[in-house]
Amino acid sequence: MNEPRAYMIGQAEVGHYKSAFAQSLRRFSSLAPEEIAAKSGAAYDSGTGLFSLASFGQAISVSYPDGQVTFQGTSLLPLMGWRLVALNYLGRADGTPLAGQEISYRELENGMVFFNAFQRESITRLSRWLGSQTPELVCKAVASLGGVIREDGADITAVFQALPLFPVVVKLWFPDDELPGSANVLFDAAANHYLHTEDIAAIGEYAAAFLIDESQNIT
């Protein structure tokens, strides 16, 4: 795993997220840690009371039962929304096997309700960004975030492990003389067994933001 990037580090203050964190913590702490581990794919150490989750090339720790989320082995905090999503994931995961079928955000539960914001913050942002990038740089950024490149027809298809049983697929097509750059972000058909649709939007937005930020970090 990589050292946490500056753009990934958040602040302790939760602000307007306070009620959301409280609700998520109630769910998380009400479950047996062994059950959470079995259903989420996260490792749990009963000696330390810590869950370990791989996420975008980082090792994330979540303490049980108080739900403190940090970068593993440090006191550094991931971004606020990222912390909330990690906690929600542990509380919601039901162990359903991944379907191996990729779907768009629109196809998620109530996906159309949040689609416009999701498209603006992830798909459109990636599409515009591609105009100033090279395939070599994008591939380096993907690797730095723990992603793998898959050959399947897009100019670049990157598969990220956003959470232990939650892959995110980012498809990129570079601009040419006739067409502007374009992108898509896809999820496994079992995604809602692990996260609410609003949390999935946040994961897609982090995939886009981290890829863009990491490319800037490299250059």
Side-chain angles (χ1 to χ4, degrees), residues 5 7-8 56 122 125-127 129-130 133-147 149 156-160 168-172 174 183-185 203-219:
R5 307 293 195 247
Y7 60 79
M8 295 178 167
F56 293 112
S122 57
R125 189 177 180 193
L126 284 169
S127 300
W129 166 75
L130 279 174
Q133 305 305 306
T134 65
E136 294 76 17
L137 177 58
V138 173
C139 287
K140 286 181 181 179
V142 169
S144 294
L145 295 170
I149 303 297
I156 293 178
T157 297
V159 183
F160 298 101
V168 177
V169 178
V170 176
K171 290 176 168 287
L172 303 170
F174 288 89
N184 204 357
V185 181
I203 284 291
E205 291 165 17
Y206 282 130
F210 289 171
L211 188 55
I212 294 168
D213 288 341
E214 186 60 25
S215 70
Q216 295 173 343
N217 190 56
I218 290 171
T219 56

Side-chain angles (χ1 to χ4, degrees), residues 21 46 48 101 136-137 165-166 170 172-173 176 197 206:
F21 270 104
S46 59
T48 62
Q101 174 190 352
E136 294 76 17
L137 177 58
L165 296 176
F166 203 95
V170 176
L172 303 170
W173 292 267
D176 58 26
T197 301
Y206 282 130

Side-chain angles (χ1 to χ4, degrees), residues 4-210:
R5 307 293 195 247
Y7 60 79
M8 295 178 167
I9 298 171
Q11 303 297 320
E13 178 60 48
V14 296
H16 65 277
Y17 282 86
K18 185 175 181 179
S19 63
F21 270 104
Q23 181 178 353
S24 184
L25 181 58
R26 283 194 295 270
R27 170 66 178 168
F28 170 73
S29 61
S30 72
L31 301 171
E34 294 79 11
E35 177 187 359
I36 294 173
K39 291 181 176 180
S40 69
Y44 178 67
D45 185 333
S46 59
T48 62
L50 293 175
F51 288 96
S52 298
L53 300 83
S55 182
F56 293 112
Q58 298 293 321
I60 304 294
S61 292
V62 182
S63 60
Y64 181 88
D66 57 338
Q68 296 298 308
V69 184
T70 58
F71 289 105
Q72 192 172 80
T74 78
S75 60
L76 297 174
L77 303 174
L79 294 168
M80 191 184 313
W82 195 6
R83 302 201 305 268
L84 181 58
V85 167
L87 200 57
N88 285 343
Y89 172 83
L90 293 175
R92 184 180 175 98
D94 66 8
T96 296
L98 296 180
Q101 174 190 352
E102 291 159 11
I103 62 173
S104 69
Y105 189 82
R106 297 174 195 247
E107 297 172 88
L108 297 166
E109 296 172 5
N110 299 314
M112 288 302 299
V113 175
F114 309 107
F115 178 72
N116 287 341
F118 171 77
Q119 183 179 46
R120 180 181 66 250
E121 298 300 326
S122 57
I123 296 172
T124 301
R125 189 177 180 193
L126 284 169
S127 300
R128 292 174 176 169
W129 166 75
L130 279 174
S132 60
Q133 305 305 306
T134 65
E136 294 76 17
L137 177 58
V138 173
C139 287
K140 286 181 181 179
V142 169
S144 294
L145 295 170
V148 296
I149 303 297
R150 187 180 73 193
E151 300 293 334
D152 70 354
D155 291 338
I156 293 178
T157 297
V159 183
F160 298 101
Q161 186 178 16
L163 291 159
L165 296 176
F166 203 95
V168 177
V169 178
V170 176
K171 290 176 168 287
L172 303 170
W173 292 267
F174 288 89
D176 58 26
D177 293 338
E178 298 180 357
L179 296 171
S182 61
N184 204 357
V185 181
L186 304 174
F187 307 93
D188 189 88
N192 278 130
H193 289 274
Y194 293 91
L195 285 173
H196 185 274
T197 301
E198 287 182 273
D199 287 329
I200 296 173
I203 284 291
E205 291 165 17
Y206 282 130
F210 289 171

